[in-house]
């Protein structure tokens, strides 16, 4: 756990979130400001500042995130979804604990 990390605090249960899935490796919870009908954040339990750092330090957690993203999409949006990792402040990353945005539903206004 990293001090002053919002998502470490959510993983630890110190800050509430609407959890939709969790296991030994990952936690998934609804984004507080949803941009799509389904907008869930999937995070590793251990701290890494971004997805590449996570891939280097704990690749099994990144794999678990992919499986969790698919499971959430299967349950909520027919298994079809975007999985986005904003990386770097200039790309819109605001929380520096690796997380994938699972976006599903009407994505007609989506960038890519
Ligand atoms: P990013 O901008 O890619 O770093 O994504 C961070 C996301 O965290 C944003 O979409 C925020 O809406 C979301 N967020 C911030 N605080 C919370 C919170 N307390 N619970 C759930 N989602 C949050
Ligand atoms: Zn963290």
């Amino acid at each position: 756990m990293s001090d002053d990390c919002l998502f470490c605090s959510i993983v630890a249960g110190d800050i509430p979130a609407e959890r939709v899935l969790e296991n030994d490796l990952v936690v998934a919870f609804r984004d507080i400001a949803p941009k799509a009908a389904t907008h869930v954040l999937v995070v590793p339990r251990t701290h890494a500042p971004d997805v590449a750092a996570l891939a280097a330090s704990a690749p099994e957690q990144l794999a678990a995130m992919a499986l969790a993203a698919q499971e959430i999409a299967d349950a909520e949006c027919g298994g079809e979804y975007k999985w986005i990792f904003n990386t770097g402040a200039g790309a819109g990353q605001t929380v520096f604990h690796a997380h994938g945005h699972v976006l599903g539903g009407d994505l007609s206004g989506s960038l890519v």
Side-chain angles (χ1 to χ4, degrees):
M1 173 153 176
S2 177
D3 288 345
D4 298 327
C5 172
L6 174 63
F7 290 172
C8 281
S9 297
I10 287 176
V11 167
D14 295 336
I15 291 177
E18 189 181 341
R19 293 179 182 228
V20 298
L21 179 156
E22 61 184 303
N23 59 36
D24 289 351
L25 298 177
V26 306
V27 176
F29 51 91
R30 295 200 189 281
D31 196 292
I32 203 167
K35 307 293 191 300
T38 291
H39 188 172
V40 172
L41 301 175
V42 183
V43 312
R45 284 194 181 272
T46 59
H47 184 87
D50 57 46
V51 65
L54 181 69
S57 65
E60 73 287 358
Q61 295 196 40
L62 182 56
M65 288 166 67
L67 295 173
Q70 184 67 57
E71 190 175 333
I72 292 160
D74 286 345
E76 298 202 7
C77 45
E80 299 179 329
Y81 60 104
K82 292 188 188 295
W83 197 32
I84 293 175
F85 292 85
N86 294 329
T87 303
Q93 186 176 6
T94 60
V95 179
F96 290 83
H97 177 130
H99 56 281
H101 295 254
V102 176
L103 297 163
D106 179 9
L107 297 171
S108 53
S110 180
L111 277 176
V112 292

